[in-house]
């Protein structure tokens, strides 16, 4: 029985997992609080983590039907993320592990995302028996990466964004259109009734022979459209068309580069995780492209796409079970921790 804590950004989350089954996974989202400021305010995020963490731990234990003394281990996200936010969860988890005299494991936030597509069903259960070497698309507000993932927690980062993340591009273009933060989900909704061919927008780095991404040019091109046609925002239909066109550009780049990397790497499986994996067109188009190329596809369940402690707990439990050394109880947060710095990373 393992308790996991996630506080790397703007969701406070606590999970209890046992033998690969998620017994509780509670998330206190701060999205509405930060919306007022148009982005995550670190001081506010930290204060909210401090306020919510202890009640969430109690509630997660209650929901899982276990007493703190029955826990075998404690885990928390150690990085990357907002320093003061990470500090709240990491130090609380280390304190709990110290008091219970149980091992503690610090988890890499992106590694947790990479394995989230293998958690399926109700109650959610890790399906590592079906694990296949895969090319994994990790797309969230802060990161966009393609990673080759193999058994034994080995992975190789194939490419990442050189500027904005895909989620950032959704959010920044949505903001230009006057939509509330975070704009990704709203843009997704408005795009459903728009024509994706109405605005010819760039597909940055689509055909370049590497796995990196760049999304800031796409956002700039939307800004120029709005500068040149200021009355565009006065017509709902045109806004919906622009949303659909932006979404089509982002999704085409993500899908095309992911499938190309999987075929080149010779894997038979593609996975996707992170908040942007909630995007309905991305889910549809990735499914169609994978089917067309004979690749199997695993998309993280929508509830596990955004930040959550279940994915942290599942990875921690499996790593401890496969002999990973516990993390020191005085280990520090690692706000800039890169996936390439993990011991099992292949360069
Ligand atoms: O993984 P996540 O919850 O947080 C980070 O670790 O960054 O991802 C949040 C991002 C935001 O940029 C949000 O706009 C985006 O995921 N997002 C979406 C959708 N749902 C969330 N983007 C496009 N379409 C969606 N349906
Ligand atoms: Zn994340």
């Amino acid at each position: 029985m393992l308790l996991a804590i996630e506080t790397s950004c703007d969701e406070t989350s606590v999970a209890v997992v046992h033998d690969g089954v998620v017994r509780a996974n509670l998330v206190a989202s701060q999205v509405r609080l930060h919306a007022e400021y148009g982005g995550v305010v670190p001081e506010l995020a930290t204060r909210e983590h401090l306020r919510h963490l202890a009640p969430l731990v109690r509630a997660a234990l209650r929901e899982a039907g276990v007493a703190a003394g029955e826990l075998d281990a404690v885990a928390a996200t150690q990085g990357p993320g907002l320093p003061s936010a990470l500090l709240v969860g990491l130090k609380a988890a280390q304190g709990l592990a110290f008091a219970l005299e149980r091992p503690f494991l610090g988890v890499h936030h992106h590694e947790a995302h990479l394995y989230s597509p293998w958690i399926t069903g109700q109650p959610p259960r890790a399906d590592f028996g079906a694990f296949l070497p895969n090319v994994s698309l990790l797309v969230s507000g802060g990161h966009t990466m393609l990673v080759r993932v193999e058994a034994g927690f080995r992975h190789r980062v194939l490419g990442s964004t050189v500027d904005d993340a895909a989620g950032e591009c959704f959010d920044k273009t949505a903001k230009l259109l006057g939509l509330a933060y975070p704009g990704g989900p709203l843009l997704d909704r408005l795009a459903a009734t728009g024509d994706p061919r109405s605005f010819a927008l760039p597909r940055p780095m689509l055909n370049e022979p590497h796995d990196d991404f760049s999304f800031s040019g796409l956002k700039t091109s939307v800004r120029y459209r709005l500068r040149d046609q200021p009355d565009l925002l006065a017509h709902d239909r045109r806004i919906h068309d622009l949303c659909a066109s932006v979404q089509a550009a982002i999704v085409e780049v993500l899908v095309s580069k992911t499938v190309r990397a999987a075929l080149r790497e010779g894997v038979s499986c593609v996975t996707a995780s992170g908040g942007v994996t909630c995007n309905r067109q991305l889910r549809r188009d990735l499914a169609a492209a994978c089917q067309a190329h004979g690749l199997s596809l695993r998309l993280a369940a929508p509830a596990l796409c955004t930040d959550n402690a279940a994915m942290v707990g599942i990875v921690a439990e499996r790593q401890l079970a496969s002999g990973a050394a516990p993390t020191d109880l005085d280990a520090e947060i690692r706000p800039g921790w890169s996936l390439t710095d993990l011991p099992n990373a292949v360069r």
Side-chain angles (χ1 to χ4, degrees):
M1 197 79 68
L2 179 146
L3 182 130
I5 296 177
E6 154 66 41
T7 62
S8 66
C9 190
D10 59 348
E11 343 266 353
T12 318
S13 181
V14 179
V16 175
V17 304
H18 183 54
D19 278 346
V21 177
V22 179
R23 303 265 296 251
N25 178 41
L26 303 180
V27 183
S29 175
Q30 308 169 7
V31 162
R32 251 187 270 145
L33 174 76
H34 298 289
E36 218 178 297
Y37 303 91
V40 177
V41 184
E43 284 79 6
L44 289 184
T46 305
R47 203 173 65 195
E48 291 300 294
H49 288 315
L50 283 167
R51 182 179 299 169
H52 290 297
L53 189 54
L56 274 184
V57 167
R58 275 194 292 273
L61 288 172
R62 203 178 320 121
E63 189 172 312
V66 291
E70 292 174 81
L71 294 173
D72 302 303
V74 182
T77 302
Q78 192 173 1
L82 299 173
S84 54
L86 285 168
L87 204 54
V88 175
L90 186 84
K91 292 298 147 187
Q94 287 170 326
L96 187 58
F98 175 77
L100 296 172
E101 299 183 7
R102 295 290 188 272
F104 164 74
L105 195 70
V107 173
H108 191 290
H109 181 76
H110 298 166
E111 200 174 24
H113 273 302
L114 287 181
Y115 294 91
S116 61
W118 302 91
I119 309 171
T120 58
Q122 203 49 254
R125 175 189 293 270
D127 190 13
F128 286 120
F131 183 87
L132 290 170
N134 60 83
V135 161
S136 191
L137 172 69
L138 170 44
V139 270
S140 71
H143 17 91
T144 297
M145 278 185 234
L146 278 172
V147 187
R148 183 186 169 118
V149 186
E150 307 213 7
F153 288 100
R154 283 179 301 138
H155 63 255
R156 181 158 54 88
V157 176
L158 303 171
S160 51
T161 181
V162 299
D163 42 53
D164 288 351
E168 229 172 331
C169 185
F170 271 110
D171 294 342
K172 288 180 176 173
T173 49
K175 195 171 182 174
L176 293 173
L177 298 175
L179 306 179
Y181 175 87
L186 279 173
L187 197 146
D188 180 343
R189 207 170 328 135
L190 299 185
T193 50
D195 176 1
R197 286 154 307 181
S198 51
F199 293 88
L201 296 174
R203 267 69 171 152
M205 292 191 176
L206 178 64
N207 294 314
E208 292 186 24
H210 53 65
D211 298 324
D212 287 336
F213 299 93
S214 163
F215 289 108
S216 68
L218 180 52
K219 168 199 67 195
T220 308
S221 133
V222 172
R223 177 174 290 134
Y224 289 156
R225 291 293 168 124
L226 293 170
R227 183 196 60 190
D228 299 341
Q229 302 172 53
D231 63 334
L232 207 150
L233 290 180
H235 306 283
D236 278 355
R237 198 177 53 76
R238 296 300 281 157
I239 295 178
H240 295 199
D241 286 346
L242 192 49
C243 286
S245 305
V246 168
Q247 178 173 275
I250 299 176
V251 168
E252 185 182 339
V253 174
L254 293 175
V255 169
S256 155
K257 296 198 86 158
T258 303
V259 168
R260 191 183 68 184
L263 297 174
R264 188 200 62 230
E265 291 291 313
V267 296
S268 63
C269 176
V270 164
T271 72
S273 63
V276 177
T277 305
C278 289
N279 184 269
R280 292 170 297 171
Q281 192 184 348
L282 177 62
R283 295 178 86 86
R284 271 196 311 270
D285 289 5
L286 207 45
C290 285
Q291 195 181 18
H293 289 92
L295 297 161
S296 65
L297 173 67
R298 273 186 181 256
L299 298 166
L304 298 177
C305 283
T306 45
D307 290 344
N308 65 87
M311 65 182 187
V312 176
I314 289 293
V315 161
E317 188 183 45
R318 194 161 169 93
Q319 288 183 338
L320 286 171
S322 44
T327 307
D328 289 343
L329 290 184
D330 60 356
E332 299 296 343
I333 53 166
R334 305 184 70 172
W337 201 4
S338 161
L339 261 184
T340 51
D341 291 339
L342 288 172
N344 289 342
V346 179
R347 281 178 189 274

